[in-house]
Amino acid sequence: GRAYNRKRGSMKNISVIGSTGSIGRQALEVIGRYPDRFRAVALCANESAELLAAQAGAFRPELAVLRSADKNISLPGVRFACGEEGFEEACAYLAADIVLVAVSGFAGLKAALCALAAGKDVALANKESLVVGGGLVLSLAEKKGARILPVDSEHSAVWQCLHFDRKAPFSRILLTASGGALRDVPIEKLPCVTAKQALCHPNWKMGAKITIDCATMLNKGFEVMEAMHLYGAKLSQIEVLVHRESVVHSMVEFADGAVLAQMGVPSMELPIQLAFTWPERLSCDLPPVDFAKLGALHFEEVDKKRYPCFSLALSCAEKGGTYPCILNAAGEVAVQAFLRGQIKYTQIAEIIESTLSQSPEGSAESYAALAETDSLARARAQTILKGAIA
């Protein structure tokens, strides 16, 4: 990557893509905490017009974009735009030093590619962009000399353990998982759980989609694929451990057997802020870990029977190609159906598995090819879904 050429403590301009979501809102908390260090120059939301207008009023960006709706919002000194053109402009915003990609789902791939094509450093909170198009993202970043700054708590942890060098050598990456909201529900009762139950994460506050993905551990399968792309890891070099306390955010083992762990209270503000402040560390106003009060830390293997989505994800990681793209598309369709109360929790894995088995492998060589794979997989998943609820 490029040599670090910004003066420590200098102002950084940030474009926040997905400003009204969970990560976006926390990012604005970070920006608001250090107004002498950060400025939100562009804000982009999908459809939350009212919240976007409030954010624009508070942070006075140069540009505010509503991607999916055509609404005329007027705020003095802030230029508003709607639709895909505005979205693309915000992702590649000229004045931005860092583009935070915090939208969920397949949409994050386009955001990341737009930002990198403009030579912008990308603070990446969107897992799916690397899952479905990791090869495209990494090659474009290298071509443009742009950095990818991991925001996922697990990948920020690995990045920190590697001393912020994504190409540093290691033996193993140990990703930790909380086990999600349903980790103690008897397996035979999982078909009966509600979306409300699955959304009650024991440790983290996140958006609905990722919280359900934590319950199924599809999310952790995505993170395995992210690790393969971000750190050049083989599948055999990555281990996932269920760690209920969510204090150890991940660990890295080295050739001599030493293991470094990154620890802290469960909060996304630290990895978000670190992506903005790197190579500096500033106060996050988070409580310190009270180890004496915490007591023992627990680690256990993943129960494959409880988490079939995790096994499906590992299978796609092994196959590569467009299988991760198909996996993601089917997962988005199935999770939305579960959140709407159309299917049982256990049918999420069934719909994903059926979609994978019925989808031929396509090309992952371009964004257009991946978009086509995504569209076809969604259509297939929708057909399977209709059969499941008929």
Side-chain angles (χ1 to χ4, degrees):
R2 293 171 295 180
Y4 188 74
N5 57 9
R6 297 182 62 76
K7 290 179 183 176
R8 286 187 174 227
S10 62
M11 177 71 76
K12 289 181 185 176
N13 292 328
I14 298 166
S15 177
V16 183
I17 311 302
S19 67
T20 59
S22 175
I23 296 291
R25 294 194 306 271
Q26 290 177 81
L28 291 176
E29 292 275 341
V30 170
I31 291 168
R33 186 180 296 132
Y34 291 105
D36 58 327
R37 296 292 192 104
F38 310 123
R39 181 169 175 244
V41 289
L43 301 177
C44 180
N46 191 37
E47 55 188 2
S48 303
E50 203 171 300
L51 180 52
L52 178 67
Q55 290 176 340
F59 287 89
R60 297 286 169 182
E62 297 169 10
L63 174 68
V65 176
L66 200 60
R67 185 182 188 186
S68 68
D70 189 12
K71 295 189 179 181
N72 187 19
I73 307 168
S74 180
L75 250 173
V78 179
R79 180 164 61 89
F80 269 89
C82 288
E84 209 61 19
E85 200 173 309
F87 171 74
E88 290 175 11
E89 184 185 355
C91 292
Y93 197 62
L94 192 63
D97 299 305
I98 297 172
V99 178
L100 172 66
V101 178
V103 293
S104 65
F106 184 83
L109 176 59
K110 185 175 187 181
L113 292 175
C114 282
L116 291 169
K120 305 297 180 184
D121 288 346
V122 171
L124 191 61
N126 170 275
K127 302 170 192 298
E128 293 86 351
S129 50
L130 288 179
V131 170
V132 305
L136 293 179
V137 170
L138 292 176
S139 63
L140 185 58
E142 192 161 343
K143 180 182 174 185
K144 293 291 182 177
R147 295 184 201 86
I148 296 172
L149 310 164
V151 172
D152 238 352
S153 63
E154 293 80 1
H155 291 302
S156 176
V158 174
W159 188 44
Q160 292 172 67
C161 290
L162 293 174
H163 303 290
F164 304 106
D165 179 1
R166 292 199 294 107
K167 293 184 178 178
F170 60 87
S171 293
R172 275 196 310 162
I173 289 173
L174 300 136
L175 299 175
T176 54
S178 68
L182 307 175
R183 64 193 183 190
D184 294 320
V185 174
I187 290 177
E188 65 273 13
K189 292 188 178 179
L190 287 177
C192 305
V193 299
T194 64
K196 186 178 179 182
Q197 286 174 280
L199 287 168
C200 291
H201 198 287
N203 303 349
W204 297 89
K205 290 180 181 176
M206 304 176 291
K209 168 66 164 63
I210 191 171
T211 305
I212 301 300
D213 286 351
C214 281
T216 65
M217 280 190 60
L218 178 62
N219 183 55
K220 206 54 53 176
F222 284 172
E223 288 171 14
V224 168
M225 291 184 235
E226 281 186 281
M228 293 170 74
H229 288 296
L230 282 172
Y231 306 109
K234 298 172 187 172
L235 186 57
S236 60
Q237 288 180 289
I238 305 166
E239 185 177 343
V240 174
L241 296 166
V242 174
H243 169 55
R244 290 169 170 267
E245 294 82 10
S246 293
V247 169
V248 176
H249 299 305
S250 278
M251 300 176 276
V252 177
E253 181 182 83
F254 297 91
D256 58 2
V259 178
L260 296 186
Q262 189 270 326
M263 307 169 82
V265 296
S267 169
M268 284 305 299
E269 283 198 32
L270 190 153
I272 293 166
Q273 183 172 294
L274 190 59
F276 294 169
T277 63
W278 171 81
E280 290 182 89
R281 288 184 183 269
L282 303 177
S283 171
C284 247
D285 289 342
L286 294 172
V289 178
D290 187 339
F291 286 98
K293 201 177 203 179
L294 186 65
L297 298 176
H298 301 88
F299 301 92
E300 55 193 275
E301 291 183 345
V302 178
D303 181 348
K304 300 288 177 64
K305 287 183 181 177
R306 179 176 290 278
Y307 301 108
C309 287
F310 178 68
S311 297
L312 290 170
L314 293 188
S315 172
C316 289
E318 195 169 6
K319 290 177 182 175
T322 52
Y323 284 105
C325 183
I326 297 163
L327 172 81
N328 176 68
E332 287 192 37
V333 170
V335 168
Q336 288 307 315
F338 172 64
L339 289 169
R340 290 193 298 263
Q342 293 177 297
I343 60 170
K344 295 176 181 178
Y345 172 78
T346 46
Q347 288 179 288
I348 295 173
E350 292 169 11
I351 287 167
I352 293 172
E353 187 169 18
S354 294
T355 306
L356 284 166
S357 67
Q358 295 177 33
S359 299
E361 189 177 4
S363 167
E365 290 179 7
S366 68
Y367 174 78
L370 286 169
E372 184 181 9
T373 296
D374 175 75
S375 179
L376 290 170
R378 282 172 198 275
R380 196 164 282 112
Q382 290 286 1
T383 302
I384 292 164
L385 172 63
K386 285 175 187 172
I389 60 180

